Amino acid sequence: MSKTHFYRDTWVEVNVDHIASNVKAIIEHLPENVEMMAVVKANAYGHGAVDVAKTALQAGAKILAVAILDEALELRANNIRCPILVLGWTRPKDVQVAIDHDITLTYFQQSWIEEAATHITSGRLSLHLKVDTGMNRVGTKSFEEALQIYEYTSNKSNFNTVGIFTHFATADEDDLTYFNLQYESFTSLLHRFEKRGIIFKQIHTSNSAASIRFPEQTFSQVRVGIAMYGLAPAKEMKQRIPFPLKEAFSLHSTITHVKKIKAGEAVSYGADYIAENDEWIGTVPVGYADGWIRRLGGKSEVLVQGKRVPIVGRVCMDQFMVKLTDEVNIGEKVTLIGEQGNEKITIDEVAERLETINYEVPLMISNRVPRLYTHNS
Ligand SMILES: Cc1ncc(COP(=O)(O)O)c(C=O)c1O
């Protein structure tokens, strides 16, 4: 475990060996010349951007992708020197910052490049062109539009378009009709560029689901996020992953108070949990301020001494209570996500209880909870 100083017994463990093993397995699964871009946006999906980025690069990823310029700058401030691509929209007035830190930006609007051009004082802005083939989120909508803004950049010495990409909306679903439409639309756009002698050095379309399912339908790079963290991109995908993915994120705390309450006594705000019998109640110093949201009260379990115990009563801002099977000592370990003995609470289980997707769960755990980086023992 890396030595981070903090004064609370609640922490996230991120097993970097698991991340490295996932990255290696994904690279192995891809054709030899395809490079992996590790998607470390949103603090590496809540895992910690800097440590995950370093781990992914050591394991063979060649490029990092983030959503916003600030995330790229955090990586640079931590001495990460590899190519970094910002996938989202950046304010045109900030392009000089990107140039100064050797960060590649994404563009897809004529007005954006025109304005960006007025903010470049020195150097050359490295760019990827984003084309929309069906997400309808960001990207150019037609070949003509893409060509027009590409040509605008190619006529200016301050711009250097090195890549082109699109994003799939349904690569994780059983029905592949829409995926195929997007794939065909992108390949036909590439051919039209090629016919004009325009060849992009870096071409990428595939997220985790597409990289895993269709490794042969990739281009020069892939953008892999969720699978690197050991999670399946969707339930439908679980059976389709031909190599083991190892979940990297676990969440732990310790019991800070234990007492026996009598049948009929209530627990927590609203007094709406009422003990049916005399019960051992333990207090866990994790609350909705840590991202363990109120909806998990009365709905979920945690592990104590290798057994599942239910959360009882409402989750408070900084604490919640559990119904123990027996008295335990202060300091007894509590696992909210992860393994204890033969029991395991997965991120997918928590996501299911919250009726959401696994992506959201590690992200939900707030920065108040320190991240510790662990290795296989
Ligand atoms: C543009 C883009 N590429 C790649 C990814 C990575 O997707 P995944 O985490 O499913 O691999 C994302 C994630 O949302 C994205 O927005």
Side-chain angles (χ1 to χ4, degrees), residues 123-157:
R124 235 177 149 204
L125 179 63
S126 167
L127 288 166
H128 283 208
L129 172 59
K130 175 81 184 270
V131 301
D132 187 356
T133 53
M135 268 292 277
N136 275 315
R137 189 167 63 175
V138 290
T140 53
K141 288 288 285 175
S142 66
F143 170 69
E144 290 73 23
E145 193 188 347
L147 180 67
Q148 187 192 329
I149 62 170
Y150 169 80
E151 284 185 334
Y152 185 92
T153 65
S154 62
N155 290 327
K156 294 241 182 316
S157 60

Side-chain angles (χ1 to χ4, degrees), residues 37 39 41 45 65 67 87-88 130 135 137-138 165-168 172 204-211 222-229 233 359:
M37 195 183 294
V39 181
K41 61 186 176 147
Y45 293 32
L87 297 167
K130 175 81 184 270
M135 268 292 277
R137 189 167 63 175
V138 290
F165 71 109
T166 195
H167 190 53
F168 293 127
D172 55 356
H204 45 102
T205 57
S206 301
N207 55 5
S208 296
S211 306
V222 292
R223 303 184 306 272
V224 175
I226 199 77
M228 176 171 67
Y229 305 101
Y359 290 69

